[in-house]
């Protein structure tokens, strides 16, 4: 499959949050570094709905040094660390409405040798089948915080349209009351790089 590496426009990120979480599936996530360019098709996402979502970092409109970028315009990167891993979110909705979409898994496309090196020779499926794994494989770091996805070195391009998409509860948010049951995780049905199917 030949992909034109043209970043998606700003208007793409201005979709309603849950719609964007689904629209991101099949898109190509690209990161350019001095070592080379790596990319992969997004196959799993999770939506976080801001002030009223107990699982969101911005629940209750909490503004901290870490979450401040979530209150900006749509289409920028929110990176942060969790258990020593860097995680990547796409900020969405309107300014001062702090929604975000976690990129949970990608299917590797370009830069495979570099990804393998960064993932210490693990089996290919384990390079990118989790949110902390994919950032390491692509070379995404905390320095990408606030970067806009419409321009290099970290950007998203058109990819393919998945045949079937599934939804279910988000992962790893047990202590968030009823929010842990919301079906705001989306994944490409049958894709081997999805972190968890149920």
């Amino acid at each position: 499959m030949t992909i034109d590496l043209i970043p998606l426009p700003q208007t793409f990120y201005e979709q309603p949050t849950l719609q964007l979480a689904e629209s991101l599936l099949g898109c190509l996530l690209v990161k350019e570094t001095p070592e080379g360019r790596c990319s992969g098709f997004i196959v799993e996402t999770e939506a976080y709905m801001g002030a009223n979502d107990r699982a969101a970092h911005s629940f209750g409109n909490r503004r901290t040094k870490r979450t401040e970028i979530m209150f900006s315009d749509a289409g920028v990167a929110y990176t942060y660390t969790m258990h020593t891993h860097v995680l990547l979110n796409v900020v969405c909705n309107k300014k001062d409405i702090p929604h975000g979409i976690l990129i949970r898994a990608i299917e590797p496309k370009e830069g495979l040798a570099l990804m393998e090196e960064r993932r210490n020779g693990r089996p290919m499926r384990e390079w990118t089948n989790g949110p902390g794994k994919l950032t390491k494989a692509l070379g995404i770091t905390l320095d990408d915080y606030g970067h806009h996805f419409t321009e290099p070195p970290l950007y998203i391009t058109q990819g393919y349209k998945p045949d079937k998409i599934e939804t279910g509860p988000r992962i790893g948010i047990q202590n968030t009351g009823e929010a842990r049951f919301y079906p705001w995780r989306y994944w490409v049905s049958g894709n081997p790089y999805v972190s968890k199917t149920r």
Side-chain angles (χ1 to χ4, degrees), residues 38-56:
C38 292
S39 68
F41 296 107
I42 298 170
V43 296
E44 185 181 2
T45 61
E46 283 181 341
Y48 289 87
M49 304 286 276
N52 298 316
D53 181 358
R54 292 181 64 85

Side-chain angles (χ1 to χ4, degrees), residues 67-87:
T67 64
E68 186 61 34
I69 197 65
M70 296 191 76
F71 293 84
S72 69
D73 293 318
V76 296
Y78 169 39
T79 53
Y80 60 93
T81 55
M82 182 170 285
H83 309 304
T84 74
H85 299 292
V86 174
L87 272 60

Side-chain angles (χ1 to χ4, degrees), residues 167-188:
T167 66
R170 296 169 295 182
I171 297 171
I173 55 168
Q174 286 80 6
N175 301 319
T176 57
E178 64 179 19
R180 72 185 189 277
F181 301 116
Y182 299 159
W184 292 346
R185 184 166 65 95
Y186 300 80
W187 66 91
V188 176

Side-chain angles (χ1 to χ4, degrees), residues 88-105:
L88 172 68
N89 283 251
V90 177
V91 173
C92 50
N93 213 303
K94 296 179 172 59
K95 187 175 177 64
D96 292 324
I97 302 178
H99 290 192
I101 296 167
L102 173 66
I103 308 299
R104 276 203 63 88

Side-chain angles (χ1 to χ4, degrees), residues 128-168:
T128 57
N129 65 335
K133 298 175 184 180
L134 72 89
T135 54
K136 186 160 188 180
L138 266 60
I140 294 168
T141 70
L142 292 177
D143 290 340
D144 292 303
Y145 181 96
H147 177 81
H148 207 290
F149 285 103
T150 56
E151 56 189 36
L154 176 62
Y155 53 104
I156 296 173
T157 77
Q158 203 163 21
Y160 69 93
K161 186 170 178 56
D163 291 331
K164 184 181 178 186
I165 290 170
E166 296 184 64
T167 66

